[in-house]
Amino acid sequence: MESLTRRGKYLRFLLDNGEMLVIHLRMTGVLSMVELPLKAEQKKHLRLLICLKDRACLAFHDTRRFGTASVLPPGETGKYWSKLGPEPLEKSFNATRLKAILNNRSGPIKPLLLDQRLIAGIGNIYADESLFAARIHPLRPADGISDAETAALVRAIKATLSKAIRLGGSSIDTYRALDGSQGRFQETFQVHRRAGEPCPVCGGSIEKIKVGGRGTYFCPACQK
DNA sequence: CGTTAGCCCTGCTGGC
DNA sequence: TGCCAGCAGGGCTAAC
C-alpha cells in the first residue's frame, strides 16, 4: 500500500498498483485487525477481509450493511471526489465560503450541513452539536443567517469536529477504533440524543424533532 | 436546479 | 416477562 488518506467520510487506500480501495463505514461499519483463523464471533457481520502477511488481516465488519467498499481503477481515482464539498477543517473553509454555500437557499440550515456536496464530512451528531455551539436553530432558513452567525457556525463546526477527532470519535453504538478502543466524544454531547434532559447552558429542556428525516436535538431557548 | 420522500438493513429500545 | 412495532441514519434514486 502506498498511502491512506481521507476525503469527507471516505477512507482511501492507495495501492501499489495504482488502484484505490475506498471504504465508507456509514453508521455501523468497523475496521479492525484480526488474525487467522477467525473465531466464530469474528465471522459475524464480516463484509470484507484483506489478508496482508503472516496471518494478519484487516477486517471490515458492518452489522447494518450500509457501509461500502469498492476498488477504483488507476484512472478513476480523482473524479470520484469531484462532487464532494470542501473539507471543513481546512483553512480555506471560512465564513466567506460558508456564506456563499448558504446564500440563496431558503431551506432549513441543518440538512445543508449534512449535504456532502456542500460541505464534506459533517454527520448528524456533529451538525446538532455545531448548531448548538453556534446558537442557531436547526430549522432556521439558511439565507437568513447573519454574517456574525455564519462566522460563529464556522468556528463551531471546526471546534466540534476537532474535539471529536481528539476524543477518538463517538462510540454510541458499534463504532470502535482500529485497536478496538471506544471514542469518548459521546460523553461530551451537549444536545445530541439528550431529549428531555437539561440544556448544559440554560438548564431548559432539550427537544427532539425530525429535520430532513433525521433525528434532531436542540435547545429551544438557546438556539434561535 | 432545489427540495423532499423513500429505501436499504439489523439490533436495540420502549410500550403494553 | 415477553413480544413486536418503531427507531437509528448516509447516500442514492425518484418524483415533483
Side-chain angles (χ1 to χ4, degrees):
Chain A
M1 192 177 81
E2 278 297 318
S3 63
L4 170 58
T5 56
R6 177 199 60 78
R7 176 78 172 93
K9 300 175 184 175
Y10 294 87
L11 296 173
R12 311 186 294 185
F13 301 76
L14 185 57
L15 309 180
D16 293 337
N17 64 4
E19 293 179 330
M20 183 180 273
L21 168 66
V22 180
I23 293 180
H24 192 307
L25 300 174
R26 292 290 227 283
M27 286 79 63
T28 57
V30 177
L31 291 177
S32 65
M33 293 305 298
V34 297
E35 205 165 85
L36 296 176
L38 297 187
K39 300 167 192 160
E41 192 181 311
Q42 293 174 319
K43 293 179 183 172
K44 198 176 181 187
H45 304 306
L46 182 64
R47 300 285 289 161
L48 180 67
L49 189 65
I50 299 172
C51 291
L52 307 166
K53 59 178 182 180
D54 298 329
R55 300 183 346 262
C57 305
L58 176 67
F60 177 23
H61 290 87
D62 188 11
T63 51
R64 230 168 291 176
R65 295 201 278 163
F66 273 28
T68 57
S70 53
V71 175
L72 305 180
E76 292 176 28
T77 58
K79 64 180 181 185
Y80 194 81
W81 317 105
S82 58
K83 282 181 279 185
L84 285 181
E87 289 288 329
L89 289 180
E90 301 239 317
K91 276 238 166 64
S92 59
F93 182 74
N94 53 27
T96 306
R97 193 81 191 270
L98 182 58
K99 188 77 182 169
I101 290 170
L102 303 183
N103 211 17
N104 295 324
R105 289 174 187 271
S106 57
I109 177 70
K110 187 182 171 186
L112 299 185
L113 297 182
L114 294 175
D115 190 333
Q116 304 297 299
R117 295 167 302 180
L118 304 182
I119 308 167
I122 300 178
N124 198 39
I125 293 167
Y126 308 102
D128 280 356
E129 294 295 312
S130 296
L131 286 169
F132 174 76
R135 303 175 67 85
I136 297 171
H137 195 291
L139 290 176
R140 274 278 294 286
D143 56 7
I145 292 173
S146 71
D147 288 356
E149 288 173 319
T150 304
L153 184 52
V154 167
R155 286 194 300 271
I157 289 169
K158 288 177 187 284
T160 299
L161 292 178
S162 300
K163 185 178 179 186
I165 291 167
R166 196 170 67 243
L167 293 179
S170 307
S171 292
I172 292 177
D173 196 3
T174 57
Y175 174 73
R176 297 292 182 276
L178 191 67
D179 64 1
S181 64
Q182 297 197 29
R184 290 182 290 116
F185 187 65
Q186 71 280 2
E187 297 165 10
T188 74
F189 284 177
Q190 305 289 292
V191 291
H192 189 74
R193 299 213 184 192
R194 296 192 59 228
E197 295 179 36
C199 167
V201 171
C202 75
S205 187
I206 292 165
E207 277 186 26
K208 181 192 179 188
I209 57 176
K210 246 187 167 52
V211 180
R214 301 288 172 252
T216 299
Y217 302 81
F218 69 104
C219 172
C222 292
Q223 294 172 255
K224 299 297 181 189

